Amino acid sequence: MKDLSVFDRVRGGLIVSCQALENEPLHSSFIMSRMAVAAEMSGAVGIRANTVPDITEIRKIVHLPMIGIIKQVYSDSDVYITPTMAEVDALVGTGVEIIAMDATDRLRTGAKSLDEIFSAVRLKYPDQLFMADCSCYEEALHAAEIGFDCVGTTMAGYTPYTKGTPLPDLTFIEKISKAVKVPVIAEGGIHYPQQLRQALDAGAFCAVVGGAITRPQEITKRFVEVL
């Protein structure tokens, strides 16, 4: 049976994304674990993390629900957030509560569609909770229809057909929150506390904030740009 109680734990709260890619200055599972501790101490209700090493290190010392992803680039696809069964298998092994997958209308490696991949994933892991990282209303609606347990606005502005969308996309959040029965997680472009409040007021179940909290190079850049 799915453990839906995790949604009660994150309802109305802030999930902090603790990620640093290999080319970023804070790339380190130890540093990400300390970021997660700081988030927990400050009232976050959950953590979103990338890679098995980071998730494993964070889970040793942080007691919040986690959204796990693996960013994996394949040469024949633009989809990189948990794109295949291999990444799902690895994440399931960590015991992470929710696994997020790209749910955009783009082909995965091997020219496979989201429906092909996710039907196999759901069959193999019927009790695992899955989050759909979407870029537009139609994708989020479809993701809920095919069995994702929650939908996120994560990819808004990151697909060719949503490029240039003002973020956070409050219209998207409001529209999809009224259309689906699963939790809607606001994610993407939330840089200031008032934007977080607006996202929840628009109907989001909870929200993920990453760069504004855990990526000092992005924070510094915003300050420098006004000088």
Side-chain angles (χ1 to χ4, degrees), residues 104-184:
T104 62
D105 187 24
R106 299 179 294 178
L107 293 178
R108 280 71 190 146
T109 184
K112 291 186 176 180
S113 68
L114 171 65
D115 289 43
E116 287 180 88
I117 292 289
F118 191 67
S119 62
V121 164
R122 179 52 82 197
L123 183 63
K124 188 173 184 179
Y125 299 112
D127 297 330
Q128 175 68 51
L129 298 178
F130 288 95
M131 172 180 173
D133 285 353
C134 306
S135 73
C136 63
Y137 172 80
E138 291 78 13
E139 290 170 350
L141 194 65
H142 181 67
E145 289 173 348
I146 65 174
F148 277 90
D149 302 287
C150 56
V151 296
T153 60
T154 318
M155 298 302 294
Y158 287 94
T159 54
Y161 41 91
T162 63
K163 189 174 182 179
T165 300
L167 300 177
D169 191 342
L170 298 175
T171 301
F172 177 16
I173 294 168
E174 182 175 13
K175 188 176 179 182
I176 197 61
S177 295
K178 293 177 179 178
V180 299
K181 295 181 179 180
V182 299
V184 173

Side-chain angles (χ1 to χ4, degrees), residues 17-35:
S17 181
C18 300
Q19 300 181 44
L21 301 177
E22 290 183 6
N23 62 337
E24 295 181 306
L26 297 190
H27 178 65
S28 160
S29 295
F30 171 74
I31 293 174
M32 289 303 102
S33 72
R34 302 315 299 175
M35 285 282 191

Side-chain angles (χ1 to χ4, degrees), residues 41 180 219:
M41 289 176 62
V180 299
I219 300 167

